[in-house]
Amino acid sequence: MNTAPDTPAPLLAAADAMVPDLLADLRRLVEVESPSADLAAVAEGAAVVADVVEKRLGRRPETIVEQGVTHLLLRLGGPTRVLLLCHQDTVWPVGTLERLPWSHQDGVVRGPGTFDMLTGLVMAVHACALLQESSGPEALDGVTLLVTGDEEVGSEHSRELILQTAQGAAGVLVLEASADGGAVKVARKGASRYRLELKGVAAHAGLDPERGVSALLELASQLPRILELADPEQGTTVTPTTFAGGTTSNTVPAAATLDIDVRAGSAEELERVHTGLHTLRATQEGAQVRTVGEINRYPMERHHSDDLWRRYADVCVSLGLPVPDAAAVGGASDGNFTAAAGIPTLDGLGAVGGGAHAEHEHVLVDQIAPRTAVLARLVEQLRDAASAQGGAAATPGRETD
């Protein structure tokens, strides 16, 4: 890989010049609002993304609907050598803009979804535009853009699409937001979601409570067993989150539920906790305990990203830009899928800022242009390297809506 000084001025200048258009596109996406659970809103958001892509690249993505969830796929020429992986769904319900409107002030952009991850999505589109404007449409041969609509709720309906699209790629570049200070994400924990369903026997709390079997007491007795499955030394977390139970204030509760979030840095740890949760048994006579849930994403381990990270750092040096830190993070993304499938994957290439899923969500505007320039050059290098090695295998076609 080349670490010698490049000719950064034209690329960086072009990236700087496109920032007003990029921010205009970002505002369009923020203001359409596309929470994952609202399938009509996700479809509307996808249509706006398709408009932006068509305006900037002159080609409109395919619309793919899986179980009611809308995704976008654009193959910019030939089999996939480089996959730009994005999502346009957010955690913010329609109406959030009324109290958290789009704003651009003092070099900071704010609004629901700006950091996670609409800025990264727009950066991906404009990085492709930079390459197309500098070298023509053939510069994007082998580049594929995939924008999913259910990442924030586990990617249940896009997982197979992601894996199929990434098949044969030399690299997957995930435009999720950066870690603290602009760090690139070189490793992610795997994630699982479970629900513990507890059943007891209802009874009047005043007349004959002894005839009841409390589902809430059963839940209380299960909590220590659940927490014991965590392993801080391994970085494995097992976190009870939401819970519910009971019917009225004078009835022994006959049912309760507990949701559990699991994160681990290795497949072995995820599987150990999975087995432990599925072997929980009731402690009270007459009570029943059932665990529902599976491993959602296996970890993205450091070796999955090593080569791409070195290339990214080399591009930064060649453009005269500082090399950001490399970070291992607890959150999972769609990059976990491709990494676990053995496809080189690098994550956190999108916005610099903070406040993912929080009301102080924001993006630092001065970091957008240089990171978009680095992305464009990295895409170019990966495409050229894959071409020199004989390209990538074609991926099977899909039926589209």
Side-chain angles (χ1 to χ4, degrees):
M1 288 173 283
N2 178 25
T3 58
D6 203 343
T7 54
L11 181 61
L12 292 175
D16 280 331
M18 59 86 197
V19 169
D21 285 342
L22 188 152
L23 292 178
D25 292 342
L26 176 60
R27 181 170 186 171
R28 286 187 68 188
L29 299 191
V30 170
E31 292 187 339
V32 75
E33 298 190 292
S34 53
S36 311
D38 188 332
L39 299 186
V42 170
E44 183 180 356
V48 175
V49 172
D51 289 344
V52 167
V53 172
E54 186 173 25
K55 180 176 181 179
R56 301 304 174 192
L57 300 179
R59 285 170 273 187
R60 192 169 187 85
E62 301 175 18
T63 297
I64 299 172
V65 179
E66 299 279 5
Q67 300 296 312
V69 182
T70 306
H71 316 293
L72 298 174
L73 176 64
L74 179 60
R75 299 187 191 277
L76 289 160
T80 299
R81 297 173 181 143
V82 183
L83 175 60
L84 297 171
L85 184 54
C86 309
H87 70 87
Q88 61 95 12
D89 61 309
T90 76
V91 301
W92 299 99
V94 172
T96 300
L97 283 168
E98 294 177 10
R99 59 185 180 80
L100 296 176
W102 161 273
S103 71
H104 177 197
Q105 187 174 5
D106 299 326
V108 178
V109 163
R110 301 181 188 276
T114 47
F115 185 61
D116 184 13
M117 60 161 283
L118 297 177
T119 298
L121 165 55
V122 179
M123 286 170 60
V125 175
H126 281 261
C128 291
L130 286 176
L131 292 175
Q132 184 166 272
E133 291 167 8
S134 64
S135 304
E138 63 276 8
L140 297 176
D141 285 351
V143 179
T144 296
L145 174 67
L146 177 59
V147 184
T148 65
D150 63 348
E151 193 276 343
E152 295 290 3
V153 289
S155 304
E156 178 182 355
H157 302 304
S158 59
R159 177 176 182 169
E160 291 306 314
L161 173 63
I162 292 166
L163 291 173
Q164 186 179 42
T165 305
Q167 182 182 350
V172 176
L173 305 179
V174 186
L175 273 296
E176 291 282 2
S178 66
D180 291 346
V184 171
K185 297 172 181 176
V186 296
R188 285 183 177 272
K189 288 184 179 180
S192 304
R193 298 175 181 177
Y194 300 94
R195 170 163 287 189
L196 196 65
E197 298 177 346
L198 308 106
K199 292 184 179 181
V201 178
H204 195 291
L207 296 177
D208 50 4
E210 69 281 356
R211 293 189 178 183
V213 178
S214 173
L216 286 183
L217 289 179
E218 184 62 40
L219 173 57
S221 69
Q222 295 293 338
L223 281 171
R225 300 180 178 195
I226 293 167
L227 296 176
E228 285 173 359
L229 292 170
D231 188 338
E233 291 186 2
Q234 296 278 350
T236 302
T237 60
V238 180
T239 308
T241 55
T242 61
F243 60 93
T247 52
T248 69
S249 61
N250 62 349
T251 303
V252 175
T257 60
L258 174 71
D259 292 320
I260 304 164
D261 179 282
V262 177
R263 309 285 170 136
S266 71
E268 292 77 14
E269 277 293 281
L270 280 180
E271 290 165 357
R272 178 186 65 80
V273 176
H274 177 84
T275 299
L277 289 174
H278 277 277
T279 54
L280 293 172
R281 296 294 178 262
T283 62
Q284 301 178 88
E285 185 177 351
Q288 299 176 46
V289 173
R290 176 172 178 255
T291 303
V292 178
E294 300 292 338
I295 295 170
N296 178 258
R297 292 177 171 94
Y298 278 95
M300 171 183 161
E301 299 185 51
R302 181 63 188 260
H303 66 88
H304 295 132
S305 65
D306 277 342
D307 179 65
L308 292 179
W309 165 244
R310 286 192 294 268
R311 287 181 179 275
Y312 189 93
D314 287 349
V315 169
C316 290
V317 171
S318 73
L319 294 177
L321 298 171
V323 178
D325 291 335
V329 298
S333 82
D334 287 339
N336 288 65
F337 296 139
T338 57
I343 304 167
T345 301
L346 191 62
D347 205 335
L349 303 181
V352 178
H357 300 192
E359 299 208 357
H360 64 283
E361 185 171 13
H362 66 281
V363 171
L364 304 181
V365 174
D366 66 353
Q367 297 299 306
I368 292 175
R371 287 176 78 92
T372 304
V374 172
L375 178 64
R377 185 56 51 83
L378 181 61
V379 168
E380 184 177 48
Q381 287 192 0
L382 286 174
R383 180 211 62 200
D384 289 348
S387 297
Q389 294 171 5
T395 52
R398 296 185 58 86
E399 293 184 2
T400 60
D401 292 75

PDB file of all heavy atoms in Angstrom, residues 4 39 45 47 55-56 64 80 106 118 178 211 225 234 237 318 322 330 346 387 396:
ATOM      1  N   ALA A   4       3.158   7.163   0.426  1.00  0.00           N
ATOM      2  CA  ALA A   4       3.851   8.358  -0.024  1.00  0.00           C
ATOM      3  C   ALA A   4       2.877   9.504  -0.175  1.00  0.00           C
ATOM      4  O   ALA A   4       1.671   9.299  -0.361  1.00  0.00           O
ATOM      5  CB  ALA A   4       4.539   8.077  -1.368  1.00  0.00           C
ATOM      6  N   LEU A  39     -43.557   1.536   8.954  1.00  0.00           N
ATOM      7  CA  LEU A  39     -43.129   1.054   7.642  1.00  0.00           C
ATOM      8  C   LEU A  39     -43.460   2.036   6.527  1.00  0.00           C
ATOM      9  O   LEU A  39     -42.718   2.140   5.545  1.00  0.00           O
ATOM     10  CB  LEU A  39     -43.756  -0.309   7.360  1.00  0.00           C
ATOM     11  CG  LEU A  39     -43.383  -1.432   8.334  1.00  0.00           C
ATOM     12  CD1 LEU A  39     -43.950  -2.759   7.856  1.00  0.00           C
ATOM     13  CD2 LEU A  39     -41.876  -1.517   8.523  1.00  0.00           C
ATOM     14  N   GLY A  45     -39.133   7.617   3.440  1.00  0.00           N
ATOM     15  CA  GLY A  45     -37.728   7.999   3.557  1.00  0.00           C
ATOM     16  C   GLY A  45     -36.882   7.386   2.464  1.00  0.00           C
ATOM     17  O   GLY A  45     -35.994   8.043   1.901  1.00  0.00           O
ATOM     18  N   ALA A  47     -37.820   6.631  -0.526  1.00  0.00           N
ATOM     19  CA  ALA A  47     -38.098   7.333  -1.780  1.00  0.00           C
ATOM     20  C   ALA A  47     -37.293   8.621  -1.869  1.00  0.00           C
ATOM     21  O   ALA A  47     -36.775   8.983  -2.942  1.00  0.00           O
ATOM     22  CB  ALA A  47     -39.592   7.624  -1.891  1.00  0.00           C
ATOM     23  N   LYS A  55     -30.282  12.222  -8.157  1.00  0.00           N
ATOM     24  CA  LYS A  55     -29.843  13.589  -8.463  1.00  0.00           C
ATOM     25  C   LYS A  55     -28.321  13.677  -8.513  1.00  0.00           C
ATOM     26  O   LYS A  55     -27.755  14.356  -9.376  1.00  0.00           O
ATOM     27  CB  LYS A  55     -30.392  14.543  -7.408  1.00  0.00           C
ATOM     28  CG  LYS A  55     -30.005  15.998  -7.633  1.00  0.00           C
ATOM     29  CD  LYS A  55     -30.657  16.908  -6.598  1.00  0.00           C
ATOM     30  CE  LYS A  55     -30.292  18.367  -6.841  1.00  0.00           C
ATOM     31  NZ  LYS A  55     -30.939  19.271  -5.845  1.00  0.00           N
ATOM     32  N   ARG A  56     -27.641  13.002  -7.575  1.00  0.00           N
ATOM     33  CA  ARG A  56     -26.179  13.134  -7.475  1.00  0.00           C
ATOM     34  C   ARG A  56     -25.413  12.185  -8.386  1.00  0.00           C
ATOM     35  O   ARG A  56     -24.299  12.502  -8.825  1.00  0.00           O
ATOM     36  CB  ARG A  56     -25.731  12.916  -6.030  1.00  0.00           C
ATOM     37  CG  ARG A  56     -26.348  13.881  -5.028  1.00  0.00           C
ATOM     38  CD  ARG A  56     -26.089  15.328  -5.407  1.00  0.00           C
ATOM     39  NE  ARG A  56     -26.801  16.262  -4.521  1.00  0.00           N
ATOM     40  CZ  ARG A  56     -26.934  17.551  -4.756  1.00  0.00           C
ATOM     41  NH1 ARG A  56     -26.385  18.088  -5.845  1.00  0.00           N
ATOM     42  NH2 ARG A  56     -27.612  18.324  -3.922  1.00  0.00           N
ATOM     43  N   ILE A  64     -36.361  -2.534  -2.951  1.00  0.00           N
ATOM     44  CA  ILE A  64     -36.575  -3.926  -2.548  1.00  0.00           C
ATOM     45  C   ILE A  64     -37.391  -3.917  -1.266  1.00  0.00           C
ATOM     46  O   ILE A  64     -36.998  -3.281  -0.287  1.00  0.00           O
ATOM     47  CB  ILE A  64     -35.237  -4.656  -2.331  1.00  0.00           C
ATOM     48  CG1 ILE A  64     -34.434  -4.669  -3.631  1.00  0.00           C
ATOM     49  CG2 ILE A  64     -35.465  -6.069  -1.797  1.00  0.00           C
ATOM     50  CD1 ILE A  64     -33.033  -5.200  -3.480  1.00  0.00           C
ATOM     51  N   THR A  80     -20.055  -6.785  -7.331  1.00  0.00           N
ATOM     52  CA  THR A  80     -19.669  -5.960  -6.174  1.00  0.00           C
ATOM     53  C   THR A  80     -18.237  -6.248  -5.748  1.00  0.00           C
ATOM     54  O   THR A  80     -17.900  -7.375  -5.372  1.00  0.00           O
ATOM     55  CB  THR A  80     -20.615  -6.228  -4.992  1.00  0.00           C
ATOM     56  OG1 THR A  80     -21.941  -5.881  -5.371  1.00  0.00           O
ATOM     57  CG2 THR A  80     -20.205  -5.406  -3.785  1.00  0.00           C
ATOM     58  N   ASP A 106     -23.096  27.488  13.997  1.00  0.00           N
ATOM     59  CA  ASP A 106     -21.757  27.450  14.593  1.00  0.00           C
ATOM     60  C   ASP A 106     -21.008  26.157  14.254  1.00  0.00           C
ATOM     61  O   ASP A 106     -20.306  25.580  15.104  1.00  0.00           O
ATOM     62  CB  ASP A 106     -21.843  27.617  16.120  1.00  0.00           C
ATOM     63  CG  ASP A 106     -22.473  28.941  16.527  1.00  0.00           C
ATOM     64  OD1 ASP A 106     -22.263  29.938  15.806  1.00  0.00           O
ATOM     65  OD2 ASP A 106     -23.176  28.973  17.554  1.00  0.00           O
ATOM     66  N   LEU A 118     -27.696   9.322   9.137  1.00  0.00           N
ATOM     67  CA  LEU A 118     -28.043   9.938   7.860  1.00  0.00           C
ATOM     68  C   LEU A 118     -26.885  10.708   7.247  1.00  0.00           C
ATOM     69  O   LEU A 118     -26.746  10.767   6.023  1.00  0.00           O
ATOM     70  CB  LEU A 118     -29.274  10.835   8.033  1.00  0.00           C
ATOM     71  CG  LEU A 118     -30.546  10.085   8.452  1.00  0.00           C
ATOM     72  CD1 LEU A 118     -31.695  11.065   8.679  1.00  0.00           C
ATOM     73  CD2 LEU A 118     -30.939   9.038   7.414  1.00  0.00           C
ATOM     74  N   SER A 178     -18.906   7.679  13.638  1.00  0.00           N
ATOM     75  CA  SER A 178     -17.636   7.340  14.269  1.00  0.00           C
ATOM     76  C   SER A 178     -17.806   7.122  15.765  1.00  0.00           C
ATOM     77  O   SER A 178     -18.828   7.477  16.366  1.00  0.00           O
ATOM     78  CB  SER A 178     -16.639   8.473  14.036  1.00  0.00           C
ATOM     79  OG  SER A 178     -17.071   9.642  14.720  1.00  0.00           O
ATOM     80  N   ARG A 211     -52.949 -19.421  47.527  1.00  0.00           N
ATOM     81  CA  ARG A 211     -53.305 -20.267  46.377  1.00  0.00           C
ATOM     82  C   ARG A 211     -52.645 -19.783  45.074  1.00  0.00           C
ATOM     83  O   ARG A 211     -52.728 -20.464  44.054  1.00  0.00           O
ATOM     84  CB  ARG A 211     -54.816 -20.293  46.202  1.00  0.00           C
ATOM     85  CG  ARG A 211     -55.544 -20.983  47.340  1.00  0.00           C
ATOM     86  CD  ARG A 211     -57.006 -21.172  47.009  1.00  0.00           C
ATOM     87  NE  ARG A 211     -57.702 -21.887  48.071  1.00  0.00           N
ATOM     88  CZ  ARG A 211     -58.986 -22.241  48.035  1.00  0.00           C
ATOM     89  NH1 ARG A 211     -59.709 -21.935  46.949  1.00  0.00           N
ATOM     90  NH2 ARG A 211     -59.544 -22.885  49.045  1.00  0.00           N
ATOM     91  N   ARG A 225     -29.625 -15.308  38.719  1.00  0.00           N
ATOM     92  CA  ARG A 225     -29.113 -16.311  37.784  1.00  0.00           C
ATOM     93  C   ARG A 225     -28.767 -15.679  36.444  1.00  0.00           C
ATOM     94  O   ARG A 225     -27.771 -16.038  35.802  1.00  0.00           O
ATOM     95  CB  ARG A 225     -30.153 -17.413  37.584  1.00  0.00           C
ATOM     96  CG  ARG A 225     -30.524 -18.152  38.863  1.00  0.00           C
ATOM     97  CD  ARG A 225     -31.563 -19.219  38.590  1.00  0.00           C
ATOM     98  NE  ARG A 225     -31.884 -19.973  39.792  1.00  0.00           N
ATOM     99  CZ  ARG A 225     -32.536 -21.120  39.799  1.00  0.00           C
ATOM    100  NH1 ARG A 225     -32.948 -21.650  38.651  1.00  0.00           N
ATOM    101  NH2 ARG A 225     -32.792 -21.741  40.930  1.00  0.00           N
ATOM    102  N   GLN A 234     -14.290 -10.756  30.504  1.00  0.00           N
ATOM    103  CA  GLN A 234     -14.375 -11.020  29.071  1.00  0.00           C
ATOM    104  C   GLN A 234     -15.080  -9.888  28.327  1.00  0.00           C
ATOM    105  O   GLN A 234     -15.174  -9.920  27.098  1.00  0.00           O
ATOM    106  CB  GLN A 234     -15.145 -12.327  28.829  1.00  0.00           C
ATOM    107  CG  GLN A 234     -14.465 -13.564  29.367  1.00  0.00           C
ATOM    108  CD  GLN A 234     -13.395 -14.084  28.431  1.00  0.00           C
ATOM    109  OE1 GLN A 234     -13.271 -13.643  27.300  1.00  0.00           O
ATOM    110  NE2 GLN A 234     -12.590 -15.016  28.907  1.00  0.00           N
ATOM    111  N   THR A 237     -21.610  -8.555  28.691  1.00  0.00           N
ATOM    112  CA  THR A 237     -22.641  -7.910  29.497  1.00  0.00           C
ATOM    113  C   THR A 237     -23.981  -8.603  29.284  1.00  0.00           C
ATOM    114  O   THR A 237     -24.325  -8.980  28.161  1.00  0.00           O
ATOM    115  CB  THR A 237     -22.778  -6.412  29.147  1.00  0.00           C
ATOM    116  OG1 THR A 237     -23.123  -6.285  27.754  1.00  0.00           O
ATOM    117  CG2 THR A 237     -21.479  -5.675  29.405  1.00  0.00           C
ATOM    118  N   SER A 318      -1.663   9.902   3.074  1.00  0.00           N
ATOM    119  CA  SER A 318      -1.408  10.338   1.701  1.00  0.00           C
ATOM    120  C   SER A 318      -2.107  11.655   1.383  1.00  0.00           C
ATOM    121  O   SER A 318      -1.651  12.419   0.533  1.00  0.00           O
ATOM    122  CB  SER A 318      -1.850   9.263   0.711  1.00  0.00           C
ATOM    123  OG  SER A 318      -3.257   9.189   0.601  1.00  0.00           O
ATOM    124  N   PRO A 322      -4.780  13.876   9.543  1.00  0.00           N
ATOM    125  CA  PRO A 322      -4.448  13.063  10.720  1.00  0.00           C
ATOM    126  C   PRO A 322      -5.149  11.715  10.669  1.00  0.00           C
ATOM    127  O   PRO A 322      -6.274  11.607  10.174  1.00  0.00           O
ATOM    128  CB  PRO A 322      -4.943  13.911  11.893  1.00  0.00           C
ATOM    129  CG  PRO A 322      -5.971  14.824  11.306  1.00  0.00           C
ATOM    130  CD  PRO A 322      -5.538  15.090   9.896  1.00  0.00           C
ATOM    131  N   GLY A 330     -19.063  -1.400  21.912  1.00  0.00           N
ATOM    132  CA  GLY A 330     -20.035  -2.376  22.362  1.00  0.00           C
ATOM    133  C   GLY A 330     -21.242  -2.506  21.464  1.00  0.00           C
ATOM    134  O   GLY A 330     -21.884  -3.553  21.422  1.00  0.00           O
ATOM    135  N   LEU A 346     -14.977  -2.609   7.569  1.00  0.00           N
ATOM    136  CA  LEU A 346     -14.531  -1.482   8.383  1.00  0.00           C
ATOM    137  C   LEU A 346     -15.739  -0.598   8.664  1.00  0.00           C
ATOM    138  O   LEU A 346     -16.537  -0.326   7.769  1.00  0.00           O
ATOM    139  CB  LEU A 346     -13.438  -0.679   7.662  1.00  0.00           C
ATOM    140  CG  LEU A 346     -12.701   0.379   8.489  1.00  0.00           C
ATOM    141  CD1 LEU A 346     -11.961  -0.256   9.662  1.00  0.00           C
ATOM    142  CD2 LEU A 346     -11.727   1.158   7.601  1.00  0.00           C
ATOM    143  N   SER A 387      -9.839  -5.292  -8.833  1.00  0.00           N
ATOM    144  CA  SER A 387      -9.747  -5.476 -10.283  1.00  0.00           C
ATOM    145  C   SER A 387      -8.426  -6.139 -10.666  1.00  0.00           C
ATOM    146  O   SER A 387      -8.374  -7.013 -11.531  1.00  0.00           O
ATOM    147  CB  SER A 387      -9.869  -4.125 -10.988  1.00  0.00           C
ATOM    148  OG  SER A 387     -11.125  -3.549 -10.754  1.00  0.00           O
ATOM    149  N   PRO A 396     -25.924 -13.309  -7.039  1.00  0.00           N
ATOM    150  CA  PRO A 396     -27.181 -13.664  -7.681  1.00  0.00           C
ATOM    151  C   PRO A 396     -28.134 -12.502  -7.719  1.00  0.00           C
ATOM    152  O   PRO A 396     -28.097 -11.620  -6.851  1.00  0.00           O
ATOM    153  CB  PRO A 396     -27.716 -14.794  -6.776  1.00  0.00           C
ATOM    154  CG  PRO A 396     -26.526 -15.294  -6.014  1.00  0.00           C
ATOM    155  CD  PRO A 396     -25.611 -14.120  -5.869  1.00  0.00           C
TER     156      PRO A 396
END
